[in-house]
Amino acid sequence: MTCDSQYLQAVLHSDIPLTREMGMQVLDWHGQCLRLQLPLAPNVNHKSTMFGGSLYCGAVLAGWGWLHLRLRELGIDDGHIVIQEGQISYPLPVTGTAVARCPAPDEKAWERFLAMYQRRGRARLTLETVVSNEGSDEPAVKFSGQYVLHR
């Protein structure tokens, strides 16, 4: 686990206590892609698959964590990140450990986001997260979230 991964996991577990109860772990932050992991046992539903609410939480937090780490790399620490809106679909069940992956957004969208935040103290960014069963790249969950950073 890298320093960034350890840092983000500590932030999540202290600022959002639910992440501890869910067993959420930060797998890695590499090449501007964040990966989180959720075990099945604390997130299981009545069908012995992962609860949709846990999957939603994992997807939202992958985007939130991505934005948190990316801003930290740039030394921007004067803002608050909130999820404003999210769209989710569940094409496949998660039958074991889930891995949530949030890659970097389009570079132009990122540059517009930063410029707007510097100018207005408030900016919105859409991030896409995919959650898969561990060991598979096939999307079990597709999430698109609009995050707002404000001073």
Side-chain angles (χ1 to χ4, degrees):
M1 190 185 272
T2 66
C3 289
D4 288 324
S5 299
Q6 289 172 331
Y7 161 79
L8 182 60
Q9 187 161 315
V11 167
L12 288 172
H13 286 188
S14 72
D15 292 1
I16 306 169
L18 175 65
T19 60
R20 275 198 314 269
E21 301 304 317
M22 295 172 72
M24 184 177 285
Q25 291 187 311
V26 177
L27 284 178
D28 51 43
W29 169 247
H30 182 71
Q32 290 186 13
C33 182
L34 177 65
R35 292 188 321 140
L36 304 178
Q37 179 177 287
L38 283 173
L40 180 61
N43 299 291
V44 73
N45 67 17
H46 62 291
K47 298 282 192 187
S48 300
T49 60
M50 196 164 291
F51 174 58
S54 294
L55 290 165
Y56 185 87
C57 187
V60 167
L61 287 170
W64 186 93
W66 186 94
L67 189 50
H68 188 88
L69 287 176
R70 194 66 188 94
L71 291 168
R72 182 175 182 246
E73 285 181 348
L74 298 174
I76 300 171
D77 60 3
D78 62 345
H80 303 280
I81 303 165
V82 294
I83 179 83
Q84 183 183 46
E85 190 178 318
Q87 295 84 35
I88 194 161
S89 64
Y90 302 89
L92 290 174
V94 174
T95 56
T97 300
V99 176
R101 187 176 71 255
C102 183
D106 172 74
E107 190 61 35
K108 283 190 173 68
W110 176 245
E111 288 168 8
R112 277 194 309 271
F113 169 81
L114 287 176
M116 181 67 75
Y117 183 67
Q118 301 297 353
R119 191 163 55 245
R120 298 236 168 95
R122 182 179 174 91
R124 185 181 3 246
L125 181 68
T126 299
L127 294 171
E128 310 287 334
T129 299
V130 171
V131 184
S132 301
N133 283 281
E134 187 176 43
S136 171
D137 286 334
E138 210 171 345
V141 172
K142 295 177 184 176
F143 176 78
S144 178
Q146 284 194 16
Y147 295 83
V148 174
L149 177 66
H150 63 89
R151 284 198 189 100

